[in-house]
Amino acid sequence: MNSPRADVVVIGAGQAGLSAAFHLQRRGLDFVVLDAEEGPGGAWRHRWKSLRMATVNGISDLPGIAKPAVDPREPSSEFLTRYFREYEQELGLSVRRPVQVRSVSREDGNPAGRLLVSTSAGDWSAAAVINATGTWTRPFWPIYPGQSTFRGRQLHVADYVSADEFVGKHVIVVGGGISAVGLLDEISLVTTTSWFTRREPVWRDAEFDAKAGHDAVALVEERVRQGLPPQSVVSVTGLIWTPSLRAAAARGALNRQPMFTAIEPDGVRLADGSHLAADVILWATGFRAELEHLAPLHLRGPGGGIVMDGTQVAGEPRVHLVGYGPSSSTIGANRAGRAAVAAILKLPGIRPTDGTVNWG
């Protein structure tokens, strides 16, 4: 039985995947969007309820249709899931879900040939693939001596629900990003905390202007162009002081300590040799790109990353990564969707249909 064919298979229906779908539809290409989630919203479906729109970091409109009025008190998981659902409906995207993509491989040895996308719902044959799987499903857990001996609870931010479950416990938060300081702020209101990072965090007093944002993205882009694993844009830009974080600092919640050297059954061994008792270790240590299904294509280089040319994999022009490296921000994801489609239109055999949709 022949696999169904499409010009482009989009894997993932978060911000980057929906942006790519918009531009594919607008340019009249034949495409299908596959998403592993039970419903719209991408990773936002899983964010903790206390992350509200007033504090969420830089959500950009999806292309073509502006997001509705925002209630700053509404949980971001609820608002963005609804926004994505309405966006899919208005564009008539008919995202196929839940579909798990198991692998992407070459159908033959022809470098201009087709790709086989194998999934839990059957196979698709594609002239090109836009991968927009993000990072949420691959939380990064550092490894420290004695980690398995800890008698308390260890969890990653991907598993975080509410500060209320930590009342009466001493919580160690590990990580130097936005999630780490946001959760320190929240948890320190109900119990005692300690904060550990590998490097001294860099703080900024003001929002980033256009030049600062452009420069930060350029640094991340240079890494992926060299085939190095991408850093997050936030790791380059630093942390911004907000009134809430200044209040957290005033009550001592943001007194950062250098990383502990080992984990013990009832706490951690500090860099100075002393012991700190703890009941919970919360790893706010980020995520890695979810790319395991692309392993049959052997895209990774000696540096551990994938050499990129914009959104295009340098060694495999049929594969585009959006929401990866410099396009991991919401604004970057929108731009990446447009750039990926423009590049795919240059591939041999790609011919837009006459039914190009004009969304402005």
Side-chain angles (χ1 to χ4, degrees):
M1 181 176 177
N2 292 331
S3 303
R5 294 166 69 87
D7 288 333
V8 184
V9 171
V10 180
I11 306 173
Q15 178 108 16
L18 293 181
S19 171
F22 169 86
H23 292 288
L24 287 166
Q25 186 182 75
R26 187 182 184 198
R27 300 302 290 268
L29 293 177
D30 174 35
F31 69 97
V32 61
V33 183
L34 309 177
D35 188 49
E37 297 290 343
E38 294 289 335
W44 291 105
R45 294 167 54 83
H46 307 290
R47 300 283 183 169
W48 48 95
K49 295 294 185 183
S50 58
L51 184 63
R52 302 184 183 277
M53 292 303 293
T55 56
V56 73
N57 188 46
I59 297 302
S60 178
D61 291 353
L62 287 162
I65 303 174
K67 64 177 177 282
V70 175
D71 178 351
R73 299 166 298 178
E74 185 174 8
S76 59
S77 58
E78 296 177 7
F79 175 87
L80 289 161
T81 294
R82 184 173 67 255
Y83 175 38
F84 284 20
R85 178 185 299 111
E86 292 171 354
Y87 187 87
E88 290 180 18
Q89 291 172 347
E90 188 159 349
L91 266 64
L93 293 179
S94 300
V95 177
R96 300 181 186 229
R97 59 167 63 94
V99 176
Q100 297 280 346
V101 174
R102 295 169 175 156
S103 67
V104 179
S105 58
R106 299 176 180 92
E107 289 191 356
D108 53 41
N110 181 0
R114 299 183 69 82
L115 300 170
L116 181 66
V117 182
S118 298
T119 83
S120 59
D123 298 344
W124 271 267
S125 174
V129 166
I130 296 179
N131 191 82
T133 44
T135 62
W136 185 258
T137 55
R138 290 204 65 201
F140 174 66
W141 291 73
I143 298 174
Y144 278 84
Q147 197 160 2
S148 63
T149 69
F150 187 61
R151 291 195 293 260
R153 182 184 176 194
Q154 295 187 65
L155 72 160
H156 193 275
V157 292
D159 306 307
Y160 180 82
V161 176
S162 167
D164 294 341
E165 57 188 313
F166 304 129
V167 173
K169 301 180 185 298
H170 186 75
V171 180
I172 286 174
V173 177
V174 181
I178 293 172
S179 294
V181 295
L183 293 179
L184 274 164
D185 176 19
E186 185 172 314
I187 297 169
S188 66
L189 291 171
V190 301
T191 194
T192 58
T193 60
S194 297
W195 183 27
F196 293 85
T197 71
R198 288 191 297 121
R199 291 182 295 271
E200 187 74 41
V202 176
W203 292 91
R204 297 176 65 111
D205 288 314
E207 293 285 348
F208 308 110
D209 59 20
K211 183 180 184 304
H214 176 273
D215 291 347
V217 169
L219 287 172
V220 180
E221 191 168 37
E222 181 57 28
R223 283 184 61 86
V224 299
R225 190 179 292 113
Q226 295 176 16
L228 298 172
Q231 293 176 308
S232 69
V233 174
V234 171
S235 72
V236 177
T237 58
L239 299 166
I240 299 174
W241 282 114
T242 65
S244 179
L245 291 179
R246 289 195 183 279
R251 61 178 180 269
L254 299 185
N255 293 335
R256 171 261 179 188
Q257 300 184 58
M259 278 305 298
F260 43 79
T261 59
I263 300 174
E264 300 179 357
D266 59 348
V268 297
R269 185 62 54 184
L270 302 184
D272 64 5
S274 62
H275 178 269
L276 174 67
D279 304 291
V280 178
I281 302 175
L282 174 58
W283 298 95
T285 45
F287 298 79
R288 298 292 183 264
E290 179 55 86
L291 302 174
E292 293 305 301
H293 52 288
L294 302 180
L297 299 175
H298 303 291
L299 303 178
R300 291 192 184 276
I306 299 173
V307 179
M308 300 294 297
D309 181 7
T311 64
Q312 190 175 57
V313 175
E316 179 47 88
R318 294 171 291 183
V319 177
H320 288 256
L321 308 183
V322 296
Y324 175 82
S327 64
S328 59
S329 67
T330 57
I331 294 175
N334 284 352
R335 293 172 179 167
R338 181 175 64 247
V341 173
I344 286 170
L345 282 165
K346 299 176 183 177
L347 291 175
I350 296 290
R351 297 289 182 270
T353 67
D354 294 332
T356 301
V357 178
N358 182 14
W359 286 96

